[in-house]
Amino acid sequence: MLCMIARAGALLLDGRDPRRVVYRSARSVLEPRLATECEGVVPRVVFPTGVDARPDGELGVYYGMADSRIGVARACLADLLTPAHVRAA
């Protein structure tokens, strides 16, 4: 049996020209780790549905957890933009 895992990366588009990719993460920034993300209707799946970007750079990412719950992950935008996360677009 094939074991699928759904992860999510980050993508930042230009505000004036959304065809232009400003930033793309080099690796996943959200992946199933908690039991509530690994067990449910569709196990081992996380899928972002919305982002709350705050003036201080904190991001609240609202996401589905195994098609059974909704969670929020917190991150700092500056931390996501460090060279370890960045890949050429």
Side-chain angles (χ1 to χ4, degrees):
M1 182 169 142
L2 185 62
C3 179
M4 303 275 296
I5 299 175
R7 299 175 178 96
L11 183 71
L12 182 62
L13 304 176
D14 185 294
R16 294 189 180 139
D17 181 4
R19 296 171 297 176
R20 183 174 163 263
V21 175
V22 175
Y23 163 84
R24 179 178 304 188
S25 61
R27 59 187 175 102
S28 300
V29 297
L30 184 63
E31 62 184 63
R33 292 185 178 172
L34 303 173
T36 50
E37 298 165 343
C38 295
E39 300 167 4
V41 177
V42 181
R44 296 173 304 282
V45 171
V46 294
F47 50 97
T49 57
V51 175
D52 176 22
R54 299 180 183 224
D56 65 358
E58 182 180 84
L59 302 174
V61 180
Y62 296 88
Y63 69 101
M65 305 163 75
D67 261 1
S68 59
R69 298 171 187 230
I70 296 174
V72 62
R74 304 252 183 241
C76 178
L77 182 59
D79 292 343
L80 292 176
L81 298 177
T82 60
H85 285 87
V86 176
R87 162 173 78 173

